[in-house]
Amino acid sequence: MLAPDTQLPRQSAQTRSVATDESKPGISEASIAAAFKTGDLVLVATLCSRAEARLQHGCGQALVDAVKSRNTPLSTSLAVVDAWLGESPEELMVGLAGVVRLVIEGLFIEAVDLLIRLQDFHESADGKARIASKARELIGPAVLRLTLQQDLDGVARLLQRLLVLEPDNLEWRFDLANIQVETGDYAGASENLAFMLYDAEYGDKARELSEEISERLRLANYSEVPLERVANQFMVSVM
């Protein structure tokens, strides 16, 4: 598993250098096969990502399988992803395999962070659509697992990161607002509900939840139970 302070390596879209097909050195099938025999998957990724399209597809698929497999150490899988993106960030297959592996390991926020990194490299509608599709694919099992663990804060953090990918996704924003209400983050919930108060689909539900927030705040102000405001939340004050 990743240590808590482990950061996924990021590369600026402005500073990366993407080699064109013309500038790629001649990588042969034999050299890729020899690299596979050494067991050095990072070397394989470096060579494969520089190869012509025909070779790249075949060895890239082998790398996808290796990155997803738990037989490959997670640190190696992420190093393979980083090596691949350093040479061919426009090719999504190995990067998306890294997302799948992080989900398998239960590292959902790190998986979304990798999707955000992939999105940094892609301006095309097709690339963005594939990344968004993977985000929607992972959210179901992620939310379910975190909910079963009663980790509402974890669900909220996950939704906040997903909204970096799709800030206009009102379904995720409304789900986040609901969780923020439950955890007492009324300011955060109100900020998210403001995005959808007049939306045809979510407007009524958003206004209803806003009224619930107002009612909770009124009760907090007049409650005989001593409450203490901590940041954006109200906590029962224990004397």
Side-chain angles (χ1 to χ4, degrees):
M1 300 292 287
L2 283 177
D5 59 349
T6 300
Q7 298 273 336
L8 286 172
R10 288 181 64 88
Q11 188 177 28
S12 168
Q14 285 74 33
T15 59
R16 71 181 186 273
S17 174
V18 181
T20 64
D21 288 339
E22 291 75 20
S23 65
K24 290 180 180 178
I27 304 296
S28 68
E29 188 170 357
S31 63
I32 294 174
F36 266 114
K37 287 181 179 179
T38 69
D40 186 344
L41 293 176
V42 175
L43 174 60
V44 173
T46 302
L47 294 175
C48 183
S49 60
R50 293 175 180 172
E52 62 183 47
R54 177 183 62 83
L55 294 176
Q56 190 179 84
H57 179 76
C59 59
Q61 188 55 56
L63 285 171
V64 164
D65 295 339
V67 167
K68 289 181 181 179
S69 173
R70 275 189 154 175
N71 292 327
T72 304
L74 179 58
S75 58
T76 300
S77 289
L78 295 179
V80 167
V81 171
D82 191 45
W84 182 275
L85 294 180
E87 296 290 340
S88 292
E90 71 280 4
E91 295 294 340
L92 279 169
M93 56 181 170
V94 174
L96 291 178
V99 173
V100 172
R101 177 61 187 279
L102 288 166
V103 171
I104 290 171
E105 300 292 343
L107 298 168
F108 304 117
I109 292 175
E110 289 85 347
V112 176
D113 284 344
L114 180 51
L115 284 171
I116 292 169
R117 181 185 175 195
L118 293 175
Q119 190 180 67
D120 287 345
F121 291 124
H122 285 268
E123 298 298 329
S124 71
D126 178 66
K128 288 183 180 295
R130 289 178 65 190
I131 292 166
S133 175
K134 183 59 68 175
R136 296 187 192 102
E137 183 181 312
L138 73 85
I139 187 173
V143 169
L144 176 61
R145 194 182 307 186
L146 291 169
T147 301
L148 289 174
Q149 295 170 354
Q150 298 183 328
D151 186 3
L152 287 181
D153 288 336
V155 178
R157 288 194 300 273
L158 176 66
L159 289 167
Q160 286 167 340
R161 296 305 291 156
L162 284 165
L163 285 167
V164 174
L165 278 173
E166 287 192 57
D168 295 330
N169 190 314
L170 296 188
E171 179 184 357
W172 294 346
R173 200 171 285 281
F174 185 72
D175 288 345
L176 175 58
N178 268 294
I179 291 170
Q180 289 170 322
V181 169
E182 290 305 310
T183 57
D185 182 5
Y186 300 133
S190 296
E191 182 178 336
N192 281 304
L193 291 171
F195 279 83
M196 63 192 82
L197 288 174
Y198 303 103
D199 180 75
E201 181 178 357
Y202 285 93
D204 289 344
K205 293 185 286 188
R207 288 189 290 273
E208 182 179 338
L209 192 54
S210 292
E211 290 172 5
E212 181 180 334
I213 292 171
S214 298
E215 182 63 23
R216 289 191 182 208
L217 290 173
R218 279 194 295 270
L219 288 173
N221 288 332
Y222 294 103
S223 174
E224 295 181 1
V225 178
L227 298 174
E228 179 182 358
R229 187 181 182 92
V230 179
N232 292 325
Q233 302 181 14
F234 287 92
M235 312 292 289
V236 174
S237 179
V238 179
M239 303 303 291

